[in-house]
Each structure stands twice: as structure tokens, then as C-alpha cells.
Amino acid sequence: MQPDTVSSRHTRAPAQTLQALHIPEALLKIQTVIAVTGLSESTIRRKVAEGKFPAPVKDGTRCTRWVAGNVTNWLRAKVSA
């Protein structure tokens, strides 16, 4: 019996670090937005639909990202409110 191996094309990309927030034009994964805001994915998507959170950008047919500057501006507005 051969050991289970993972094909190199199926390996996951390294996790995105929070350092990406320091680049306003960086495109953030949903996991990063969740980590920064403390909101769940469903809450983020609901707030986007309600116009209460920055809308993501499409970076392909199955790739959605949030612009770091938009997320940090939203966080700043929440803190100052």
C-alpha cells in the first residue's frame, strides 16, 4: 500500500499575514479580513450586501478579495464613531 501523497498542484498557498494591511493596495483574503475585523464571514458578506462594509473586488471568476485600505478605513471609522 502506498502512502497518501498530495500533488503539488493541490498544495495550499501560505497563509496571508497581517503585514498585508500595511500596503493599502493589497488584496486581502476573506480569512485575513475575518482575523482583522473579528467578524464572521457571513456577517461580513451581510454587511457588504447592506452597504455597511467595503465591497470586495473580483480577481477572477472564483477569487474575491478586499482592498486593504478600504478595510482599514472602515476599522478607523468604527473606532472614531
Side-chain angles (χ1 to χ4, degrees):
M1 183 177 220
Q2 291 183 332
D4 292 334
T5 59
V6 178
S7 171
S8 64
R9 67 187 178 107
H10 292 290
T11 58
R12 295 189 136 203
Q16 186 176 40
T17 67
L18 295 180
Q19 297 292 59
L21 287 169
H22 296 293
I23 305 168
E25 299 83 12
L27 298 176
L28 305 177
K29 296 179 178 182
I30 186 64
Q31 293 87 354
T32 306
V33 177
I34 290 168
V36 169
T37 63
L39 301 173
S40 68
E41 181 175 352
S42 59
T43 299
I44 291 168
R45 296 196 186 279
R46 185 180 69 249
K47 286 183 176 290
V48 167
E50 294 170 349
K52 297 179 179 179
F53 193 82
V57 295
K58 292 295 280 181
D59 192 28
T61 56
R62 296 182 58 191
C63 182
T64 303
R65 300 286 189 257
W66 279 260
V67 177
N70 295 347
V71 174
T72 55
N73 289 341
W74 180 84
L75 286 168
R76 286 186 186 117
K78 293 296 284 183
V79 170
S80 65

